[in-house]
Amino acid sequence: MMQLDVVREKVVEISGRGAGEVRVVACPYRICPLGAHIDHQGGTVTAMTINYGVLLGFVASDDAEISLQSGQFEGVIRFRVDDLQKPIENPENINWESYARGAVYALQNFGYDLKKGIIGYISGVKGLDSSGLSSSAAVGIAYLMALENVNDLVVSPVDNIQLDNYFALTGCNITYRRRVDIIREFLSAKRLPVLFYVLQAVKMHQVFFVMCILEENLARRAEHYFSEMKRVVKGRDAWARGDLHEFSQLISASGRSSILNYECGSKEMIQLYEILLKAPGVLGARFSGAGFRGCCLAVVESGHAEAAAAFVRAEYEKAQPELVSKIPPDRRVLVCEPGDGARVI
C-alpha cells in the first residue's frame, strides 16, 4: 500500500470521517546544493526539493480543537487554536508537539483568524528526521497549510516561508534557535564588526584589502563566504544551461571550502564526503547541512545510481562500522530525484 493511502486510512480511523473528506498536505524535504553556511549572513543560496518528504493527512475539526497523531512518535496531541500560544523558553521542553503549536503561534501573531482545528496524522520518512534535509521545515509548512486550508485562509508560498521562519526562530525549533544563539554570540565578539562588515557590506574590489586585516581563521571564513557566493551564481547559470558537470564540480568545491575554509564538518561526515567523491558515476558532493551530523548529498549519473549507492554502503561500513550498524539498512543511502513543491492533495 502506498504511504499516501496509509495516511488517508489512518485519518479515517482516528476521525470517524469518510475517506472523501480527508485531505493530505505533501511537503517535500529539500537540499541546498550550493550556498553552504552563507544564508544567515545575507548570502544567496540554491535550493531543491526531493521526492521524499512529510505527509499530513487531516480533516477539519467540528470546533477549535487540534488532535494529532504521528507515524514516528507516540501519543496524541490535543490543544485548541484559540488558546494563546507562547514561545518555548526551555529547549528540553521541545518535542514533536512544538511544531504544531508553533504553526498556530505564527498564524496568531501575524493576525490570522483561526476558528477551526484539525484532526490529523503526520508521517515522514523513517530515519530522516534531523538528517540535514530540512525535515523540521517540511513539518512546519505542512501544519501551516493544513490550518490555512480548514480556515479558508489564502496565504502565499512566500508568506508561509516567513511564517515558518518566524516560529522556528522564536522558540519552536531548537536547531534554528541554537543557530541564532551562535550568531548572537558571534556578534558580541570584538572582531565581529569588521567581519560583519566584510560579509554584508564590502564591495567585491574591497574584499582583498579587508581580508588582509583579518586574522587567518576569520580571513578563511570570509574567503568561503565570497567564493560560495560566486559558486551560487555560476551554479545557477550552469543549471540553466543544463551543464550538470560544471554544476556538480561547484558542489564539490563548496564541500572542500566548507572543510578547509569554514572549518566545519566532523570526521564521520568528512569521510562520507570523500567516499562519495570516489563512487562510480558521482559528479559532485558536499554536506547536506552544516556537516556535524546529518548526511551528505551527491549528484550522480542516473545510470550509475545503484552502483554508486552500493559502493558508498560498502566503503562507509568499512570506515565507520559501529555508526553504520545504528542506521537502518534501507536508510543508509537514498537515491532521490527532484521533487514538487508543497501542496494539498
Side-chain angles (χ1 to χ4, degrees), residues 148-322:
E148 291 157 7
N149 185 280
V150 300
N151 285 282
D152 298 319
L153 301 176
V154 179
V155 182
S156 71
V158 171
D159 286 341
N160 267 328
I161 292 170
Q162 292 176 339
L163 287 164
D164 180 66
N165 286 339
Y166 179 76
F167 79 75
L169 293 172
T170 51
C172 299
N173 185 326
I174 186 59
T175 302
Y176 282 99
R177 287 189 69 196
R178 181 58 190 145
R179 179 181 293 180
V180 171
D181 289 343
I182 291 170
I183 294 169
R184 286 174 178 160
E185 291 167 8
F186 199 33
L187 282 168
S188 67
K190 292 181 180 178
R191 300 183 189 86
L192 193 64
V194 176
L195 185 58
F196 195 60
Y197 176 74
V198 168
L199 299 184
Q200 291 200 347
V202 170
K203 305 299 182 184
M204 290 306 296
H205 68 274
Q206 299 172 317
V207 171
F208 178 75
F209 168 75
V210 178
M211 286 176 62
C212 285
I213 67 175
L214 294 173
E215 292 185 4
E216 182 181 355
N217 63 329
L218 296 181
R220 287 201 304 273
R221 288 174 175 80
E223 165 64 23
H224 173 79
Y225 177 88
F226 286 107
S227 64
E228 189 72 356
M229 287 284 281
K230 291 180 181 178
R231 283 188 286 271
V232 169
V233 174
K234 290 180 179 179
R236 177 201 63 193
D237 295 342
W239 184 268
R241 294 193 308 271
D243 190 341
L244 197 57
H245 284 270
E246 181 181 349
F247 184 76
S248 302
Q249 288 172 359
L250 290 164
I251 292 173
S252 295
S254 171
R256 285 192 296 273
S257 183
S258 291
I259 296 167
L260 299 176
N261 292 325
Y262 211 73
E263 297 180 290
C264 73
S266 61
K267 175 184 176 182
E268 295 82 0
M269 294 296 289
I270 293 171
Q271 283 180 325
L272 180 56
Y273 164 76
E274 292 171 343
I275 288 170
L276 276 166
L277 291 178
K278 298 174 184 176
V282 167
L283 304 176
R286 81 166 192 87
F287 305 141
S288 183
F292 298 106
R293 59 178 296 181
C295 65
C296 286
L297 67 90
V299 178
V300 60
E301 294 174 332
S302 57
H304 293 87
E306 294 304 327
F311 177 88
V312 173
R313 287 190 193 98
E315 293 301 311
Y316 198 60
E317 187 169 11
K318 294 176 188 175
Q320 292 289 340
E322 183 177 352

Side-chain angles (χ1 to χ4, degrees), residues 16-83:
R17 306 284 184 81
E21 295 183 58
V22 179
R23 285 154 282 180
V24 180
V25 180
C27 196
Y29 299 141
R30 69 138 176 92
I31 57 174
C32 181
L34 292 166
H37 321 296
I38 64 174
D39 54 332
H40 54 276
Q41 298 179 79
T44 304
V45 304
T46 63
M48 179 186 297
T49 60
I50 62 173
N51 61 331
Y52 287 90
V54 169
L55 295 177
L56 170 59
F58 66 96
V59 294
S61 300
D62 293 326
D63 53 23
E65 184 175 81
I66 287 180
S67 176
L68 296 168
Q69 295 184 33
S70 167
Q72 282 71 50
F73 302 97
E74 296 181 356
V76 179
I77 292 174
R78 286 194 176 90
F79 67 97
R80 295 175 62 87
V81 297
D82 51 6
D83 291 339

